[in-house]
């Protein structure tokens, strides 16, 4: 009897405030969806830029070498390419995968106006996997880039950035853009969690 | 009028099935909470093991060196330590932070029997940050470990694992355990998202 009373009371309240409540709900939904779309497009653009900036990275320099000590040193052209280091290959591939996923998910979110729950959940899970992929790739490239920049005397790995300065700057730019892209996907997962949390 | 009828109808249904629905709900909640606690403990154990395995890694070896070509080569003790490479320092620190967080969050989840929503949301957000931290650290250590294992002829970084085999094996073990720990935190965020999604 009590539950029935409470239920009809709720029904009455809904009748009085239903219109305004619905409007606020729709406005909130639009706001969340708008932020999601903007962030997703930003993620797409950032990962695309990171993949391209590192993917076209190449520098040729004349390095002076002494072959025979009695002869004067000769200059040999040496080229640094992005695919010489596996960590950089991983960064380019990870950014390319995430960029393609961002484009597809952007279309899916735009098409999913009805708000199918299964699709929304799938997108959260994939967003989360992209966070893991991009952060591991950025970490890998950053670690190798740091050794290239500073060298490491303990293992006798010499720095190479004093010779290939432009190459290293381009790598650094790609890593920074990739880290921004990772943060965007992190924010997308956060936004989804906040949104689900608010609804529930 | 219609909304009132529907509301009282729902009230009636609740009256009839309320008991069973509540039981199923509580059972589900317990199941989710149980998985969360088990995963969180697993994450704590894995990150603790990873931090310790890498944190005590050290190997001294006698390396034969030729100082003067007319004299016989001499043996010099050379030590490999985990903190010689910044990527390994990052991995140990990241695992230590995550381990401490796992312990604290385990206590918080255990204490939060009432299910405060704000705390639950904070834990999801921090879990997500741990995913990013651990994956970037594992990626960094893996990239540097691979160069130590294979070397890289393009930048003339020689492999060191042929000399310090035991040291490298211990690094590899720490990276594998750390990657397992990262996956556990990924699963924790996934579980929370699934749970929120199911409720909503």
């Amino acid at each position: 009897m009590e539950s029935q009373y409470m239920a009809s009371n709720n029904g009455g309240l809904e009748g009085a405030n239903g219109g305004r409540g619905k409007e606020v709900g729709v406005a909130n939904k639009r706001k969340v969806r708008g932020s999601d779309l903007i962030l997703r497009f930003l993620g797409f653009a950032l990962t695309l830029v990171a993949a391209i900036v590192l993917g076209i990275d190449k520098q040729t320099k004349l390095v002076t070498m002494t072959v025979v000590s009695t002869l004067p040193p000769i200059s040999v052209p040496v080229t640094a390419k992005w695919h010489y280091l596996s960590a950089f290959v991983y960064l380019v591939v990870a950014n390319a995968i995430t960029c393609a996923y961002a484009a597809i998910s952007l279309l899916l979110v735009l098409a999913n106006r009805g708000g199918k729950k299964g699709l929304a959940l799938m997108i959260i899970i994939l967003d989360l996997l992209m966070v893991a992929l991009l952060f591991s790739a950025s970490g890998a490239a950053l670690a190798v880039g740091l050794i290239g920049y500073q060298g490491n005397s303990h293992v006798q790995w010499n720095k190479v950035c004093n010779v290939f300065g432009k190459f290293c700057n381009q790598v650094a730019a790609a890593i920074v853009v990739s880290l921004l892209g990772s943060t965007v996907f992190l924010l997308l997962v956060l936004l989804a969690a906040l949104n689900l949390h608010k609804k529930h």
Side-chain angles (χ1 to χ4, degrees), chain A:
Chain A
M1 200 48 207
E2 200 180 286
S3 75
Q4 255 184 357
Y5 167 74
M6 277 170 68
S8 19
N9 197 8
N10 277 338
L13 277 170
E14 202 180 84
N17 290 328
R20 198 188 297 164
K22 230 176 193 171
E23 265 172 35
V24 173
V26 169
N28 267 342
K29 209 175 170 184
R30 268 196 199 145
K31 217 171 157 187
V32 167
R33 223 169 140 254
S35 323
D36 186 287
L37 288 176
I38 291 170
L39 278 177
R40 216 166 275 282
F41 181 75
L42 205 63
F44 166 76
L46 286 169
T47 49
L48 184 68
V49 169
I52 291 176
V53 166
L54 190 52
I56 58 167
D57 199 4
K58 189 178 162 180
Q59 189 182 8
T60 305
K61 257 210 152 172
L62 286 175
V63 177
T64 319
M65 277 184 187
T66 311
V67 183
V68 186
S69 56
T70 49
L71 291 174
I74 51 166
S75 289
V76 183
V78 179
T79 306
K81 286 180 185 162
W82 64 275
H83 56 81
Y84 283 172
L85 285 156
S86 49
F88 296 165
V89 176
Y90 182 33
L91 190 66
V92 170
V93 170
N95 271 296
I97 290 175
T98 315
C99 178
Y101 163 73
I104 294 170
S105 68
L106 198 61
L107 292 178
L108 282 177
V109 170
L110 275 173
N112 188 28
R113 277 176 190 275
K116 276 183 199 162
K117 283 184 185 179
L119 188 67
L121 183 66
M122 201 190 72
I123 286 179
I124 295 177
I125 294 173
L126 288 174
D127 282 352
L128 190 58
L129 291 181
M130 294 302 134
V131 169
L133 181 71
L134 272 189
F135 268 101
S136 67
S138 306
L142 190 60
V144 172
L146 266 183
I147 296 176
Y149 190 70
Q150 302 180 322
N152 191 304
S153 58
H154 299 291
V155 283
Q156 293 182 317
W157 292 344
N158 297 318
K159 55 182 165 188
V160 287
C161 286
N162 46 349
V163 180
F164 297 100
K166 194 199 126 253
F167 180 84
C168 282
N169 287 341
Q170 216 163 317
V171 169
I175 293 173
V176 169
V177 175
S178 174
L179 276 172
L180 288 177
S182 328
T183 312
V184 165
F185 279 90
L186 194 76
L187 287 177
L188 271 173
V189 179
L190 261 184
L191 187 77
L194 274 174
N195 190 31
L196 277 175
H197 187 262
K198 213 185 282 168
K199 276 183 187 168
H200 134 70

